[in-house]
Amino acid sequence: MSTPEKRGPGFERGGLFKDPTIGVGMNFLVTPGGSLRGEVEVPGDKSISHRALILSALAEGPSEVTGLLEGDDVLATASALRQVGVKIDMIEGQRCRVQGLGLTGLTAPDAPLDLGNSGTGFRLLSAVLAGQTFASVLTGDHSLRKRPMKRIIDPLMLMGATIHSSEGGYPPLKIYGHYPLSSIEYELPIASAQTKSAVLLAGLNANGVTRVREPSQTRDHTENMLTGFGCPVEVSGGVISLCGGARLSGRTFSIPRDFSSAAFFLVGALIGSESELTLPSVGINPTRTGALDILRLMGADIQIMNHRNVAGEPIADLKVCACRLRGIDVPSTLVALAIDEFPALAIAAACADGKTSITGVGELRVKESDRIRSIVDGLRALTIDVEEYPDGMTITGGRFSGGKVDSCGDHRIAMAFALAGSVSRGPVRVMDCGLVQTSFPEFSDVARKAGLRLEVEPRS
Ligand code: S3P
């Protein structure tokens, strides 16, 4: 994976906490012991939920989406779509109806669109707005305002949009849309599904055929879902193409449960004594399940049962039992396919025999936090030996002490270290876990029901 863009100025360590909206509300206190047993139902897939709302909005006619993740990230995308005229009704739990406006039917917002903590919502909606006939401003929380947007600004400007950003290519962005955009052939400088998706979504409102080449395979939900909404997408030899102007048709759509949320429980069960968990109906799209392969290389026994398809995405029930893990060199071919799972994988590595080396993951530095730094600091706070590199880390397996871990306002760091507390020598307090709401609002209840001794404390 090539060198990523840097996080924006001001993302100095601890900088996150200057923003009162980050990580508000709660700490997790986890007491060791217990095992994880029974069935764990994780919520709907975050990546697919964003895309379901966006594609439904761009389709002609109504769509009905079930299994939607009602996390803050997806709700931010829904609220931004409402601001550009889309009618979205939540019917009942995890079900919603979207009245699509077609590719050019969105209307100018009368205020900035606030995507909160959501990089996916921000980047995908920027691309949609680049091909409209009006201007819009997109912004986000303190973390999102430090995440690099040059990766989408460059191709969208090549296609004909005018985009103003904060210095260095950070939000807020002011996007002066242009219709129609010009199609491009674009070689992604980094493996990024959000950037690939942005170019493809902009390509919907472009003249001619837009082509994107990716340096390595990333999640392919946009390609699958565009096809499902009636826009043919061709994929050949790492190049994805679509023809602008194809009409999308409203449809009913069911969202699989999120593999990335399941990963915390897969790891929690593997490292716990006598744990045995089943996770029903989890998405197992192979562009998302690199962590399964990595855990199996470490010796994990994870069974995939009842393999089936839902709305063009493979799903299955996963069964996992506690077992001894061994350290490995994580193959570079699996990095992009496991990009969101490294916080959970680091916990597995810390419990494995021997060393686990993770390299080529420089992209982790520009996620919701600098995840290499957040993981390294968290592991060290629990007395695990870890060496940090610019693009990765080597973790030596050991035993977690108790201690205090800073989530750095990052949902996945918070959940990963909560699971570490089940096998530590003393209680683990994970600070500022409020942003777990972005991807897994029911995490603490689900984890407790599975057997994790977790208490939610108001943030002191
Ligand atoms: C996502 C793509 C990934 C991932 C993110 C969600 C998506 O980012 O980390 O959480 O929904 O397209 P990249 O754009 O870096 O691949």
Side-chain angles (χ1 to χ4, degrees), residues 46-48 50-51 120 123-124 147 151 190-197 218-219 221-222 288 336 339-340 363 367-368 371 412:
K46 182 152 75 75
S47 290
I48 299 179
H50 283 294
R51 287 160 173 81
T120 306
R123 292 182 175 124
L124 271 52
R147 294 184 69 184
R151 59 185 63 193
I190 39 173
S192 159
Q194 292 172 357
T195 312
K196 168 180 65 175
S197 302
T218 62
R219 64 192 66 189
H221 305 305
T222 302
R288 289 288 296 283
I339 195 67
D340 288 341
E363 272 291 287
K367 295 293 180 188
E368 287 85 330
R371 281 192 180 150
R412 299 202 198 280

Side-chain angles (χ1 to χ4, degrees), residues 48 52 64-66 220-221 223-229 251-256 285 308-315:
I48 299 179
E64 196 167 303
V65 183
T66 55
D220 62 3
H221 305 305
E223 298 90 302
N224 292 343
M225 292 175 73
L226 277 168
T227 306
F229 274 86
R251 55 174 300 199
T252 56
F253 194 87
S254 179
I255 295 177
N285 179 319
R308 56 217 189 265
N309 272 290
V310 168
E313 289 280 340
I315 67 167

Side-chain angles (χ1 to χ4, degrees), residues 340-351:
D340 288 341
E341 281 61 77
F342 284 99
L345 290 169
I347 300 302
C351 297

